[in-house]
Amino acid sequence: VFIRRALQTTIDDPQQVEALFGLPIYVSIARSKVQTALNEKQEALSRLPLLARVASMDVAIESLRSFRAALQFSMSHARNNIVLITGPTAGLGKSFVSANLAVVMAGSGRKILLIDADLRDGYLHRYFNVSRSGGLSDLLCGAKNPEACIHKNVIDNLDFIATGTLPPHPSELLLQPSLQTLLARLAPLYSMILIDSSP
Protein backbone atom coordinates (compact mmCIF):
# COMPACT_ATOMS: atom_id res chain seq x y z
CA VAL A 1 0.00 0.00 0.00
CA PHE A 2 2.78 2.43 0.89
CA ILE A 3 4.70 1.63 -2.32
CA ARG A 4 1.55 2.03 -4.42
CA ARG A 5 0.81 5.34 -2.71
CA ALA A 6 4.40 6.54 -3.31
CA LEU A 7 4.14 5.71 -7.03
CA GLN A 8 0.78 7.42 -7.44
CA THR A 9 1.09 10.66 -9.44
CA THR A 10 -2.46 11.93 -9.07
CA ILE A 11 -3.71 14.57 -6.66
CA ASP A 12 -6.68 13.42 -4.62
CA ASP A 13 -6.69 15.92 -1.77
CA PRO A 14 -7.68 19.59 -2.16
CA GLN A 15 -5.08 20.53 0.45
CA GLN A 16 -2.39 19.18 -1.92
CA VAL A 17 -3.52 21.67 -4.57
CA GLU A 18 -3.38 24.52 -2.08
CA ALA A 19 0.08 23.48 -0.89
CA LEU A 20 1.57 22.83 -4.35
CA PHE A 21 0.12 25.78 -6.26
CA GLY A 22 -0.93 28.30 -3.62
CA LEU A 23 -4.47 28.28 -5.01
CA PRO A 24 -7.43 28.48 -2.64
CA ILE A 25 -9.95 25.62 -2.83
CA TYR A 26 -13.44 27.02 -2.36
CA VAL A 27 -15.44 23.81 -2.64
CA SER A 28 -15.24 20.11 -3.42
CA ILE A 29 -18.11 18.79 -5.51
CA ALA A 30 -19.11 15.20 -4.84
CA ARG A 31 -20.07 12.89 -7.68
CA SER A 32 -23.85 12.71 -7.75
CA LYS A 33 -25.46 9.27 -7.75
CA VAL A 34 -28.67 10.88 -8.98
CA GLN A 35 -26.85 12.42 -11.96
CA THR A 36 -25.19 9.10 -12.79
CA ALA A 37 -28.59 7.38 -12.83
CA LEU A 38 -30.08 10.19 -14.94
CA ASN A 39 -27.25 9.94 -17.47
CA GLU A 40 -27.77 6.20 -17.87
CA LYS A 41 -31.47 6.69 -18.58
CA GLN A 42 -30.96 9.62 -20.97
CA GLU A 43 -27.88 8.35 -22.85
CA ALA A 44 -29.74 7.66 -26.08
CA LEU A 45 -31.82 10.84 -25.99
CA SER A 46 -30.79 14.21 -27.40
CA ARG A 47 -31.61 16.15 -24.21
CA LEU A 48 -29.57 15.80 -21.02
CA PRO A 49 -31.18 16.37 -17.61
CA LEU A 50 -30.01 19.32 -15.51
CA LEU A 51 -29.51 18.12 -11.95
CA ALA A 52 -30.12 21.63 -10.60
CA ARG A 53 -33.64 21.42 -12.05
CA VAL A 54 -34.61 17.80 -11.33
CA ALA A 55 -32.92 17.29 -7.94
CA SER A 56 -32.16 20.73 -6.58
CA MET A 57 -31.38 19.40 -3.08
CA ASP A 58 -28.73 16.92 -4.27
CA VAL A 59 -25.41 17.17 -2.43
CA ALA A 60 -23.61 18.19 -5.65
CA ILE A 61 -26.01 21.11 -6.18
CA GLU A 62 -25.62 22.17 -2.55
CA SER A 63 -21.86 22.22 -3.17
CA LEU A 64 -22.43 24.42 -6.22
CA ARG A 65 -24.47 26.82 -4.08
CA SER A 66 -21.51 27.07 -1.70
CA PHE A 67 -19.28 27.66 -4.71
CA ARG A 68 -21.65 30.38 -5.94
CA ALA A 69 -21.28 32.26 -2.65
CA ALA A 70 -17.48 31.93 -2.66
CA LEU A 71 -17.30 32.91 -6.33
CA GLN A 72 -19.44 36.01 -5.82
CA PHE A 73 -17.16 37.09 -2.97
CA SER A 74 -13.95 36.47 -4.92
CA MET A 75 -15.32 38.17 -8.06
CA SER A 76 -15.54 41.47 -6.18
CA HIS A 77 -11.73 41.61 -6.50
CA ALA A 78 -11.56 40.43 -10.14
CA ARG A 79 -10.73 42.55 -13.21
CA ASN A 80 -13.86 41.39 -15.03
CA ASN A 81 -16.96 39.22 -14.69
CA ILE A 82 -15.77 36.31 -16.86
CA VAL A 83 -15.17 32.84 -15.38
CA LEU A 84 -13.53 30.01 -17.32
CA ILE A 85 -14.24 26.44 -16.24
CA THR A 86 -11.82 23.75 -17.39
CA GLY A 87 -10.06 20.60 -16.25
CA PRO A 88 -6.88 18.67 -17.03
CA THR A 89 -8.62 15.81 -18.85
CA ALA A 90 -11.99 14.90 -20.33
CA GLY A 91 -14.63 13.17 -18.23
CA LEU A 92 -14.04 15.06 -14.96
CA GLY A 93 -17.40 16.83 -14.96
CA LYS A 94 -16.50 20.34 -16.07
CA SER A 95 -19.53 20.55 -18.37
CA PHE A 96 -21.75 19.27 -15.54
CA VAL A 97 -20.31 21.98 -13.28
CA SER A 98 -20.64 24.68 -15.95
CA ALA A 99 -24.27 23.94 -16.81
CA ASN A 100 -25.48 23.44 -13.24
CA LEU A 101 -23.47 26.36 -11.83
CA ALA A 102 -25.01 28.60 -14.49
CA VAL A 103 -28.49 27.46 -13.42
CA VAL A 104 -27.67 27.98 -9.73
CA MET A 105 -26.24 31.45 -10.46
CA ALA A 106 -29.27 32.40 -12.54
CA GLY A 107 -31.53 31.15 -9.75
CA SER A 108 -30.16 33.89 -7.50
CA GLY A 109 -31.68 36.49 -9.83
CA ARG A 110 -28.47 37.47 -11.62
CA LYS A 111 -28.32 37.69 -15.42
CA ILE A 112 -25.89 34.96 -16.59
CA LEU A 113 -24.44 34.05 -19.99
CA LEU A 114 -23.12 30.52 -20.47
CA ILE A 115 -20.80 29.92 -23.44
CA ASP A 116 -19.86 26.45 -24.67
CA ALA A 117 -16.28 27.03 -25.86
CA ASP A 118 -15.37 23.34 -26.02
CA LEU A 119 -15.00 23.47 -29.79
CA ARG A 120 -13.71 19.89 -29.90
CA ASP A 121 -16.57 18.08 -28.22
CA GLY A 122 -18.96 20.53 -26.54
CA TYR A 123 -22.41 19.26 -25.75
CA LEU A 124 -23.97 21.85 -23.41
CA HIS A 125 -26.67 22.50 -26.03
CA ARG A 126 -28.13 19.11 -25.07
CA TYR A 127 -28.87 20.39 -21.54
CA PHE A 128 -31.01 23.20 -22.94
CA ASN A 129 -32.57 21.39 -25.92
CA VAL A 130 -31.24 23.85 -28.51
CA SER A 131 -29.23 23.38 -31.69
CA ARG A 132 -25.43 23.38 -31.75
CA SER A 133 -25.40 25.38 -35.01
CA GLY A 134 -25.22 29.16 -35.04
CA GLY A 135 -22.89 29.47 -32.07
CA LEU A 136 -19.45 30.56 -30.89
CA SER A 137 -17.44 29.29 -33.87
CA ASP A 138 -19.77 31.20 -36.22
CA LEU A 139 -19.34 34.36 -34.13
CA LEU A 140 -15.55 34.09 -34.10
CA CYS A 141 -15.24 33.64 -37.86
CA GLY A 142 -17.66 36.53 -38.47
CA ALA A 143 -20.43 34.48 -40.07
CA LYS A 144 -23.06 35.60 -37.54
CA ASN A 145 -23.65 38.40 -35.04
CA PRO A 146 -24.22 37.82 -31.29
CA GLU A 147 -27.92 38.60 -31.41
CA ALA A 148 -28.43 35.69 -33.83
CA CYS A 149 -26.42 33.24 -31.69
CA ILE A 150 -27.58 33.93 -28.14
CA HIS A 151 -30.38 31.65 -26.98
CA LYS A 152 -32.29 33.94 -24.64
CA ASN A 153 -33.72 32.70 -21.35
CA VAL A 154 -33.07 28.99 -21.84
CA ILE A 155 -33.86 29.13 -18.13
CA ASP A 156 -34.98 32.30 -16.31
CA ASN A 157 -32.05 34.79 -16.24
CA LEU A 158 -29.81 32.42 -18.22
CA ASP A 159 -28.73 33.02 -21.83
CA PHE A 160 -26.65 30.50 -23.75
CA ILE A 161 -24.27 30.37 -26.72
CA ALA A 162 -23.63 26.90 -28.15
CA THR A 163 -20.39 25.80 -29.84
CA GLY A 164 -21.57 26.36 -33.36
CA THR A 165 -20.18 24.16 -36.11
CA LEU A 166 -17.16 22.29 -34.72
CA PRO A 167 -14.13 23.68 -36.60
CA PRO A 168 -11.18 21.58 -37.82
CA HIS A 169 -8.67 23.69 -35.83
CA PRO A 170 -10.44 24.96 -32.70
CA SER A 171 -7.38 26.28 -30.86
CA GLU A 172 -6.48 28.59 -33.76
CA LEU A 173 -10.03 29.92 -33.85
CA LEU A 174 -10.01 30.63 -30.10
CA LEU A 175 -6.73 32.56 -30.46
CA GLN A 176 -8.35 35.09 -32.80
CA PRO A 177 -8.76 38.67 -31.43
CA SER A 178 -12.48 38.32 -32.20
CA LEU A 179 -12.95 36.30 -28.98
CA GLN A 180 -11.64 39.12 -26.82
CA THR A 181 -13.75 41.62 -28.77
CA LEU A 182 -16.86 39.45 -28.32
CA LEU A 183 -16.33 39.04 -24.56
CA ALA A 184 -15.69 42.77 -24.13
CA ARG A 185 -18.95 43.48 -25.94
CA LEU A 186 -21.02 40.99 -23.93
CA ALA A 187 -19.53 41.43 -20.43
CA PRO A 188 -21.38 44.68 -19.57
CA LEU A 189 -24.72 43.03 -20.42
CA TYR A 190 -24.43 40.27 -17.79
CA SER A 191 -23.69 39.84 -14.10
CA MET A 192 -21.39 36.97 -15.05
CA ILE A 193 -20.20 35.12 -18.13
CA LEU A 194 -19.37 31.44 -17.59
CA ILE A 195 -17.24 29.75 -20.25
CA ASP A 196 -17.00 25.98 -20.48
CA SER A 197 -13.76 25.19 -22.30
CA SER A 198 -12.09 22.06 -23.57
CA PRO A 199 -9.66 20.26 -21.22
Side-chain angles (χ1 to χ4, degrees):
V1 171
F2 289 116
I3 291 171
R4 177 188 267 174
R5 181 74 177 172
L7 295 174
Q8 187 178 12
T9 58
T10 59
I11 295 175
D12 58 4
D13 182 0
Q15 291 177 343
Q16 285 180 287
V17 174
E18 289 183 331
L20 287 170
F21 304 108
L23 298 171
I25 303 299
Y26 293 112
V27 67
S28 292
I29 301 168
R31 185 173 293 271
S32 169
K33 292 178 182 176
V34 175
Q35 183 67 44
T36 302
L38 287 170
N39 287 347
E40 289 170 1
K41 289 179 185 175
Q42 301 290 326
E43 204 168 273
L45 300 178
S46 60
R47 184 164 188 174
L48 294 174
L50 272 163
L51 189 64
R53 297 295 296 244
V54 299
S56 64
M57 299 309 290
D58 187 85
V59 66
I61 301 304
E62 286 300 321
S63 297
L64 288 173
R65 286 192 183 96
S66 297
F67 184 42
R68 173 184 63 190
L71 190 58
Q72 287 174 331
F73 174 75
S74 66
M75 291 294 286
S76 63
H77 309 296
R79 291 181 301 139
N80 58 45
N81 62 342
I82 301 168
V83 175
L84 176 76
I85 298 185
T86 190
T89 61
L92 294 179
K94 65 173 186 56
S95 296
F96 165 84
V97 169
S98 299
N100 284 282
L101 178 61
V103 172
V104 167
M105 296 290 288
S108 68
R110 304 177 75 202
K111 189 70 175 165
I112 305 298
L113 174 64
L114 175 62
I115 301 174
D116 191 348
D118 184 352
L119 299 184
R120 286 190 174 91
D121 195 27
Y123 58 86
L124 290 183
H125 61 283
R126 292 179 61 199
Y127 282 111
F128 305 107
N129 202 27
V130 298
S131 172
R132 176 195 298 278
S133 62
L136 182 63
S137 63
D138 306 291
L139 287 170
L140 296 182
C141 67
K144 293 197 177 273
N145 61 36
E147 291 73 26
C149 294
I150 297 174
H151 297 277
K152 300 278 189 183
N153 285 315
V154 289
I155 288 174
D156 289 345
N157 298 315
L158 177 60
D159 292 352
F160 173 65
I161 298 176
T163 59
T165 304
L166 297 179
H169 305 289
S171 56
E172 284 83 353
L173 188 59
L174 291 170
L175 288 172
Q176 298 296 320
S178 53
L179 178 59
Q180 186 174 355
T181 304
L182 175 67
L183 293 175
R185 179 178 174 184
L186 294 175
L189 306 177
Y190 294 92
S191 301
M192 185 177 292
I193 295 177
L194 289 172
I195 303 174
D196 181 42
S197 76
S198 57

